[in-house]
Amino acid sequence: MKAITSFTDSVGLFAKTYHYLQKSKHPEASVEDLKLQWAQDMLSRLRVDLKVSGKVSEQKSLLFLGNHVSYLDIPLLMSTVRGLSFVAKKEVGSWPIIGSAAKKIETVFVKRESGSSRQLARQSIQEALTKGQRIAIFPSGTTCMHEKKSWRRGAFEIAHEKNLFFQPFRITYLPLRAAAYIDDDFLPSHLYNLFGLDRIHAKLEFHEPVQIKDPVVDCEYWQNWTKDFVTASQN
């Protein structure tokens, strides 16, 4: 019975996301309100208890930079930060339902192996910030529990060149491995297993906005800041 329930709940997430997409097509629909409702709905359905610490800045033209553990990071941030868009790998744009939803919230897609695409992504990010958008970037470029590779410095270089503020954030979960979407995890089976859990405890912490003085040094510093949080939360 529990297996059937988990399967039904997993399918229900996609059906509900499609429902929100359809609502967003209405001429009078508020995409921002729907984003918030969707995020809260997803966290509730997945039984995620979220604890937020730190104050989210209301400043526009702001970058949010932090670690990336799971696709759960998206509704966590969207439920907390109004007016937020994301940077994601190009493949996400072709995912059924999820891809359409990502486009609706003005996600900036980047083709990882292409230098020209990354340059176009940087330009798109700069243009979005100029228009007052708030953009979340995961400098790791992919999901991971314990980061071993250095963060990419592109977002830090943008903030430095344009003299922009960014707000660091860090995320962790308990149980960490169950929530993390890494290695050869397959989305349908991963969701199925998540619904088999009683609760997922998530922590999301925001640092006050800061400016970049040295992209290389600051990139390493803030990556270590997020790593320390994940490690301490598991002890």
Side-chain angles (χ1 to χ4, degrees), residues 20 23-38 82 104:
Y20 280 105
K23 289 181 68 174
S24 71
K25 296 177 182 179
H26 193 281
E28 297 181 1
S30 167
V31 173
E32 285 308 316
D33 288 344
L34 290 174
K35 284 164 61 177
L36 178 62
Q37 293 168 19
W38 173 84
R82 293 281 290 183
K104 176 63 69 172

Side-chain angles (χ1 to χ4, degrees), residues 52-72:
V52 180
S53 57
K55 183 179 180 181
V56 178
S57 172
E58 296 182 1
Q59 180 180 332
K60 294 184 177 181
S61 301
L62 188 64
L63 282 170
F64 291 82
L65 303 177
N67 63 317
H68 195 15
V69 182
S70 170
Y71 49 79
L72 294 175

Side-chain angles (χ1 to χ4, degrees), residues 39 43 48 50 52 71-81 171-173 202-204 206:
L43 296 179
V48 176
L50 174 59
V52 180
Y71 49 79
L72 294 175
D73 302 346
I74 306 301
L76 251 62
L77 288 165
M78 284 177 59
S79 71
T80 312
V81 183
I171 300 171
T172 192
Y173 299 90
K203 293 181 181 180
L204 171 58
F206 292 92

Side-chain angles (χ1 to χ4, degrees), residues 2 6 9-10 13 45-48 70-72 173 175-181 187-200:
K2 190 171 184 178
S6 294
D9 288 340
S10 299
L13 282 185
R45 287 169 178 267
L46 285 161
R47 296 183 290 279
V48 176
S70 170
Y71 49 79
L72 294 175
Y173 299 90
L176 181 59
R177 180 59 188 96
Y181 187 67
L187 183 58
S189 58
H190 191 271
L191 274 174
Y192 174 86
N193 291 331
L194 281 188
F195 276 112
L197 300 175
D198 291 329
R199 307 297 299 180
I200 301 170

Side-chain angles (χ1 to χ4, degrees), residues 128-172:
L129 290 168
T130 299
K131 292 187 296 183
Q133 282 185 241
R134 293 141 68 84
I135 300 177
I137 298 179
F138 303 110
S140 61
T142 188
T143 51
C144 50
M145 288 196 304
H146 305 292
E147 297 174 344
K148 297 180 180 178
K149 294 184 178 180
S150 298
W151 277 1
R152 296 170 181 174
R153 297 195 299 269
F156 292 87
E157 291 170 351
I158 291 174
H160 184 250
E161 291 169 6
K162 301 299 180 180
N163 200 31
L164 297 170
F165 279 88
F166 84 93
Q167 183 154 28
F169 66 84
R170 49 189 183 181
I171 300 171
T172 192

